[in-house]
Amino acid sequence: MEACSEEKKMITEPLLINKNPKGGIRTLPFIIANEAFERMASTGFMPNMILYLCREYNMKITEGTNVLFFWSAASNFLPILGAFLADSYVGRYAMIGFGCITCLLGMVLLWLTTIFPHARPLACDYTLRDSCESATGSQLMLLYLAFGLMSLGGGGIRSSSLAFGADQLEKGDGIKSKSEGALKSYFSWYYVSVSASSMVAVTFIVYIQDNLGWKVGFGIPAAIMLLSALCFFLASPFYVKSKANTSLLSGLIQVLVASYKNRHIKLSSPQAAEERYHHREGSVRLVPSENLRCLNKACIIKHPEQDLTPDGRASDPWSLCTVDQVEELKALIKVIPLWSTGIMIGVTLSQSSFPVLQASSMDRHVSRNFEIPAASFCIFTIITLTLWVGFYDRILLPLASKIKGKPCQLSLKQRMGIGLLFSTASMAAWAITETVRRRIAIDEGLSDDPRTVVQMSAMWLLPYLVLSGLAMAFNMIGQTEFYYSELPKSMSSIASALLGVGLSAASLVASLIMNSVDGITRSRGKQGWIPSNINKGHYDHYFWLLSALNMANFVYFLACCKAYGPCRVEVHKALDDADDMREE
């Protein structure tokens, strides 16, 4: 009887403790829905925005494109800042909540610019663009405030959403929620939902904007964002809300500060190795590597009594760091040259305004009664990316491995290089398409009327769009895998952020290139390559220039690969192959 009562007590005790369990699988649908709806709403604004700025705010094409470049740069960079603040100060729940409210406010403000006529300059005939009234300072301030709030809010959500969901599984109550299978399933559903929401945005929402106008077309994304916020806050009582901890980014900055403070220390020769280094308890690496030796000064213990606390920690982490911190910074510095090669492909992919302008002047009919919206043509890039990833992973690699009789796949650097070549080819295809389109427009006497549709199918844009999708599939995914494989496991958050930082830098570089080209080609009263009238410019010359820059970037990439040396994956593969040869 005693044994039975004791067993009953052991079974019922956890139930008494966990009357209101936190986290677990039940919270994941709310987190996934929050991110998916936010991505759908944000993406729904982007494709047609160049048309809204040019037609409703009387902006020139270069001016409107610059606005979108800076908006894109902010949207890609702010998640990095959001992740730092969430990890170090406010926590992920508060960051996502702040992002939901801020993003919703920005979208409502943008929607209000379509409701109130005084929020925009007076309507103007497109053919009289030079005499059109420009937007006032207050009108532009309202517009830019809306963009800023949307970027800030999106940065808050995207920086923490994926990790916040993982927290629910890893730190939540219940055995099932902590299984590795549940975590993998969550990641899969997360990315599938984000991809699906983006596809809905560039088709359904763009179609509404084209056919029902800006008021309805901008109102629907705002309503979707409201739904996103509600999905997140409804499950608030059930979330695991982890407290903020020290950010890895802070640790990297500490290494720089500590190495500068200790710059007067003289390092002994590698053979002597007289220094005593500070390392974490249980760390495998006890001595720093010899590359970038100046950073080793950050982890040298000068005076043990002063530098260390009784439990072995650094008295001042801004003067003494661990060997692991130093090696993490070295690993990050090592990948920067190869990371910089991804900026140019980001420049290519950020030219999203110009395909919309081209497609809007071409025949987009797929049947007598239906035509594809100009801003929806980017769906072909997304479809190409999705189909190629599935084909490569599920068909091509298994087939190649079966033929060779052993695992077969392209190296990460090979995939990145192939992506750069596809990017170069995409710009060349785009330039050829624009050359043909412009010639037809001139032959049809449409030089002064860029809005009239020329007798040329918009499907001519498919080679550019498909090649862009392949460039993303090879280079962008290859970049992400490269950072994850080359950086220490403790730097996974930084590995996932590097691509976003590169895209942010690419938007700024794209703006610089476009402004330089426009300024140089407009000298001495010329029309220039990138005027507001697409039929009078030479956009094809601009695209050829980008193609040449992409080719030069590929050459730079080859030089960076040679300087970098073999990747970790390549080293492990070589060792495995050597072991197989010995066994044979």
Side-chain angles (χ1 to χ4, degrees):
M1 288 292 291
E2 275 187 35
C4 291
S5 62
E6 193 67 30
E7 185 177 348
K8 185 177 180 181
K9 183 180 179 183
M10 289 174 66
I11 294 172
T12 56
E13 255 185 356
L15 297 176
L16 293 172
I17 295 172
N18 293 322
K19 286 182 178 179
N20 297 304
K22 298 287 186 179
I25 296 175
R26 62 176 177 173
T27 60
L28 299 186
F30 297 94
I31 296 171
I32 292 174
N34 166 252
E35 171 66 13
F37 285 136
E38 183 275 327
R39 199 65 67 97
M40 185 187 299
S42 299
T43 307
F45 282 111
M46 285 294 295
N48 265 330
M49 189 55 66
I50 185 64
L51 299 180
Y52 184 67
L53 295 179
C54 291
R55 295 176 183 178
E56 301 298 325
Y57 278 83
N58 300 333
M59 290 186 182
K60 297 178 181 179
I61 288 178
T62 51
E63 185 182 357
T65 304
N66 264 326
V67 171
L68 297 184
F69 279 149
F70 287 118
W71 185 23
S72 176
S75 298
N76 283 307
F77 177 75
L78 285 173
I80 315 302
L81 179 61
F84 171 72
L85 294 175
D87 289 346
S88 304
Y89 299 103
V90 300
R92 293 182 179 125
Y93 173 79
M95 181 56 64
I96 297 174
F98 167 79
C100 289
I101 296 171
T102 307
C103 196
L104 176 61
L105 181 58
M107 291 184 183
V108 170
L109 283 178
L110 189 58
W111 174 59
L112 290 178
T113 63
T114 68
I115 300 294
F116 298 106
H118 294 296
R120 309 182 306 278
L122 294 175
C124 177
D125 186 355
Y126 191 86
T127 59
L128 304 174
R129 176 55 54 91
D130 292 337
S131 60
C132 290
E133 178 185 336
S134 299
T136 63
S138 58
Q139 290 170 340
L140 290 175
M141 187 179 296
L142 179 63
L143 178 69
Y144 296 157
L145 178 61
F147 286 156
L149 290 173
M150 287 169 62
S151 295
L152 191 63
I157 296 173
R158 296 173 195 177
S159 65
S160 304
S161 182
L162 184 64
F164 186 64
D167 287 345
Q168 309 310 307
L169 294 176
E170 294 173 351
K171 302 176 183 178
D173 298 323
I175 298 174
K176 288 184 179 180
S177 66
K178 296 180 182 179
S179 68
E180 186 177 349
L183 195 62
K184 287 184 177 179
S185 179
Y186 163 63
F187 286 150
S188 298
W189 279 107
Y190 182 91
Y191 286 115
V192 166
S193 64
V194 168
S195 300
S197 63
S198 298
M199 295 181 74
V200 170
V202 300
T203 52
F204 176 70
I205 295 178
V206 166
Y207 183 82
I208 290 176
Q209 291 168 355
D210 279 13
N211 290 275
L212 299 181
W214 301 117
K215 293 179 182 178
V216 178
F218 281 11
I220 287 179
I224 292 173
M225 188 61 226
L226 175 61
L227 183 60
S228 171
L230 289 175
C231 285
F232 179 73
F233 287 117
L234 276 175
S236 290
F238 308 112
Y239 292 138
V240 171
K241 301 169 187 175
S242 303
K243 294 181 179 179
N245 205 341
T246 304
S247 171
L248 179 61
L249 185 60
S250 300
L252 297 178
I253 297 173
Q254 286 172 350
V255 174
L256 292 173
V257 173
S259 59
Y260 177 77
K261 286 183 176 180
N262 301 332
R263 63 190 183 279
H264 300 300
I265 295 177
K266 291 184 179 181
L267 295 172
S268 61
S269 63
Q271 292 78 16
E274 298 174 354
E275 292 88 358
R276 179 183 173 187
Y277 298 103
H278 178 48
H279 54 83
R280 293 179 186 140
E281 185 178 353
S283 176
V284 176
R285 183 179 284 275
L286 305 180
V287 178
S289 59
E290 289 302 313
N291 59 311
L292 296 173
R293 293 190 74 216
C294 59
L295 295 178
N296 293 352
K297 297 178 181 181
C299 58
I300 293 177
I301 301 173
K302 302 184 293 293
H303 307 290
E305 298 81 7
Q306 299 175 8
D307 296 342
L308 300 176
T309 61
D311 60 355
R313 296 183 181 182
S315 302
D316 180 9
W318 294 93
S319 297
L320 178 63
C321 303
T322 64
V323 173
D324 287 332
Q325 284 179 280
V326 172
E327 291 305 307
E328 286 165 355
L329 181 59
K330 287 181 180 180
L332 180 61
I333 292 173
K334 186 180 179 182
V335 302
I336 285 177
L338 277 171
W339 166 83
S340 66
T341 65
I343 292 177
M344 197 59 221
I345 189 174
V347 170
T348 300
L349 297 173
S350 66
Q351 310 289 326
S352 57
S353 301
F354 299 127
V356 178
L357 296 170
Q358 280 181 302
S360 64
S361 68
M362 302 167 77
D363 182 11
R364 294 172 277 116
H365 283 88
V366 291
S367 68
R368 181 176 297 180
N369 299 319
F370 178 76
E371 65 176 2
I372 303 174
S376 292
F377 271 79
C378 59
I379 190 68
F380 292 107
T381 299
I382 300 173
I383 291 173
T384 301
L385 170 64
T386 305
L387 291 179
W388 174 257
V389 169
F391 174 76
Y392 179 78
D393 287 338
R394 301 296 179 183
I395 299 176
L396 187 60
L397 286 184
L399 182 61
S401 300
K402 187 175 181 180
I403 293 172
K404 293 193 71 175
K406 61 179 181 178
C408 176
Q409 62 181 355
L410 294 170
S411 70
L412 295 176
K413 288 190 288 189
Q414 286 174 335
R415 286 162 58 188
M416 291 164 66
I418 292 171
L420 295 180
L421 289 176
F422 273 124
S423 178
T424 303
S426 72
M427 296 310 299
W430 199 8
I432 293 170
T433 300
E434 174 56 20
T435 300
V436 176
R437 190 209 64 82
R438 182 177 179 274
R439 186 184 303 124
I440 293 174
I442 293 173
D443 292 343
E444 293 178 357
L446 301 175
S447 297
D448 295 321
D449 191 3
R451 287 195 181 182
T452 300
V453 175
V454 300
Q455 297 303 309
M456 178 181 178
S457 173
M459 293 301 167
W460 273 71
L461 291 170
L462 283 186
Y464 156 70
L465 295 169
V466 169
L467 288 169
S468 295
L470 291 173
M472 291 177 66
F474 277 96
N475 187 272
M476 296 292 191
I477 296 177
Q479 273 193 70
T480 303
E481 291 185 23
F482 175 77
Y483 303 142
Y484 269 103
S485 66
E486 291 302 294
L487 296 178
K489 295 297 182 185
S490 58
M491 300 181 71
S492 58
S493 59
I494 289 182
S496 63
L498 280 175
L499 183 61
V501 176
L503 293 174
S504 179
S507 295
L508 299 178
V509 172
S511 176
L512 176 63
I513 293 174
M514 187 192 68
N515 290 333
S516 300
V517 169
D518 189 49
I520 293 171
T521 57
R522 278 181 180 275
S523 60
R524 299 179 182 178
K526 295 180 182 178
Q527 187 76 29
W529 288 2
I530 322 173
S532 294
N533 185 337
I534 192 173
N535 293 336
K536 283 190 173 181
H538 270 291
Y539 283 72
D540 51 343
H541 293 178
Y542 175 62
F543 300 150
W544 279 120
L545 174 63
L546 291 179
S547 182
L549 290 174
N550 271 275
M551 195 65 224
N553 182 60
F554 176 72
V555 175
Y556 168 62
F557 169 79
L558 294 178
C560 289
C561 286
K562 186 175 181 180
Y564 189 89
C567 300
R568 287 187 179 184
V569 176
E570 295 170 348
V571 172
H572 293 322
K573 185 176 182 300
L575 293 174
D576 291 341
D577 291 342
D579 291 339
D580 293 340
M581 290 178 66
R582 289 193 198 98
E583 290 176 3
E584 292 175 1

